[in-house]
Amino acid sequence: MKKVHGVCPIAPAVFHDDGSLDLEGYRRCCDAMLKGGAQALALFGIAGEYYKFDREEEEALIPVTVEVCHANDAPAVISNTRHSTESATKWAKRIEASGADCMMLLPPFFLKPGAAEITRHVEAVCDAVSIPVMFQYAPEQTGVTIPPEALANLAARHQNLNYFKIECKPPGAYISRLTELLKGKQAEIFVGNAGFQMIEGFRRGAQGVMPGPSMFDVYRKIWDALESGNDAEAFRVHAKLNALLNHIRQNVEMIIHFEKRILQRRGLIESARCRSPQFRSDAVYDRLFDELYADLEPEFIR
């Protein structure tokens, strides 16, 4: 299995203007992202509108993602978002059989199951496969809170629970505590939440960032600067990125809307179509977006 490290964007949902899935457009976009600086891709993330696909579309997207990642010598991460333990274990085996290098696991959150049930769910899914598993901790989106001690206990019992995507607010102390608890285990932490705190996360031991798809090369520029010890360059670029993110990420549907606008503007997708229900912009949103985008655009690598 290929190790997941560095900049791993969430793969976008690419649609035609009529709202149908643009599978070839998706393939081209993913290929361009990987050739332009992304070090891995994750399919069915929250920023990838996983909740708007039907089963046939999911089945079509998985092999394309694995194929394009492996063609670029990059790991493919496929997220398992099923809410029942029975369906999640079946889907886990489907993900493993696809050749994915890692399965991200979003815990069930509808009707807010208790800690014991979430633990049973995670353990059953980890036991169902041998590939590495990444646990996604996103309490703002799911409403489910889990202490770092619980995640460390799960990692101690399951050797394939090797990655954690942390996107609580604030994430810093949580990352530090989890890093301390995981000491001695082959486990790595990724920063979520669009990489708002990727510099702090790096300083606390995070090994990667999982942002949205449209500015993959900007994140890579920041990540490379951090790894080379050039903090001044990392701060400079990150400040411009965060100015734009602060505007476009006022909720999840809003950042999806503008991420697609950026992908389209950069020539990576033909249509910026989002499936409904969706965020609707207006002239004020758009003008501020244009101003902040113009300031960040010189940082694009391609």
Side-chain angles (χ1 to χ4, degrees):
M1 296 295 168
K2 302 177 189 298
K3 184 179 179 180
V4 189
H5 179 85
V7 179
C8 177
I10 303 302
V14 182
F15 302 120
H16 294 290
D17 283 338
D18 64 2
S20 61
L21 181 66
D22 182 1
L23 194 60
E24 287 308 308
Y26 171 78
R27 183 196 299 272
R28 290 191 299 271
C29 180
C30 289
D31 186 64
M33 290 165 64
L34 290 164
K35 284 181 168 57
Q39 293 161 283
L41 288 179
L43 176 64
F44 303 140
I46 294 173
E49 294 176 274
Y50 80 86
Y51 45 92
K52 294 180 180 177
F53 292 123
D54 60 34
R55 177 61 181 261
E56 290 75 17
E57 291 168 336
E58 292 175 325
E59 292 281 5
L61 285 163
I62 290 174
V64 170
T65 305
V66 173
E67 178 188 332
V68 74
C69 283
H70 290 179
N72 286 280
D73 197 30
V77 181
I78 310 295
S79 187
N80 188 337
T81 61
R82 298 299 194 264
H83 272 267
S84 78
T85 304
E86 290 81 2
S87 61
T89 53
K90 290 179 183 178
W91 196 238
K93 293 174 183 177
R94 170 68 182 83
I95 289 171
E96 182 173 47
S98 75
D101 300 279
C102 176
M103 176 179 64
M104 186 158 69
L105 178 59
L106 184 68
F109 57 87
F110 187 67
L111 299 183
K112 309 299 181 290
E117 284 301 309
I118 290 176
T119 297
R120 291 188 188 100
H121 181 93
V122 174
E123 292 194 321
V125 176
C126 286
D127 285 341
V129 296
S130 59
I131 61 172
V133 176
M134 174 185 292
F135 186 92
Q136 182 179 8
Y137 181 49
E140 182 182 38
Q141 287 77 31
T142 66
V144 173
T145 58
I146 303 170
E149 290 77 10
L151 296 186
N153 287 338
L154 285 166
R157 295 196 296 273
H158 298 276
Q159 291 190 350
N160 62 334
L161 185 52
N162 302 130
Y163 301 101
F164 296 88
K165 180 184 180 183
I166 303 303
E167 39 195 350
C168 53
K169 293 183 178 180
Y174 195 103
I175 291 173
S176 288
R177 178 59 177 157
L178 186 56
T179 299
E180 177 186 355
L181 293 167
L182 292 171
K183 192 170 295 183
K185 178 175 169 55
Q186 294 296 316
E188 297 189 353
I189 295 173
F190 282 71
V191 178
N193 268 335
F196 269 111
Q197 286 81 33
M198 65 180 291
I199 294 178
E200 180 186 358
F202 180 87
R203 291 186 174 184
R204 291 180 182 269
Q207 298 296 308
V209 60
M210 299 184 76
S214 68
M215 297 174 282
F216 53 91
D217 45 355
V218 177
Y219 288 96
R220 180 64 186 270
K221 183 180 284 190
I222 298 166
W223 193 258
D224 287 350
L226 291 171
E227 289 198 313
S228 68
N230 190 350
D231 286 1
E233 174 68 358
F235 275 113
R236 183 190 70 80
V237 181
H238 195 242
K240 295 169 74 171
L241 172 65
N242 270 7
L244 178 59
L245 291 175
N246 186 59
H247 172 55
I248 67 175
R249 197 184 179 278
Q250 296 181 52
N251 65 36
V252 176
E253 291 286 2
M254 183 176 183
I255 193 171
I256 289 170
H257 169 93
F258 282 110
E259 290 265 13
K260 288 190 176 184
R261 295 258 299 265
I262 295 170
L263 287 169
Q264 184 186 46
R265 189 172 290 191
R266 299 186 68 183
L268 296 173
I269 60 175
E270 292 184 6
S271 173
R273 172 68 184 265
C274 296
R275 284 181 173 171
S276 295
Q278 62 178 294
F279 170 80
R280 309 284 180 175
S281 192
D282 63 24
V284 178
Y285 284 132
D286 288 348
R287 180 178 176 183
L288 187 52
F289 164 70
D290 287 339
E291 292 169 353
L292 294 167
Y293 178 88
D295 189 48
L296 182 64
E297 190 173 18
E299 305 301 333
F300 295 152
I301 294 174
R302 64 181 301 277

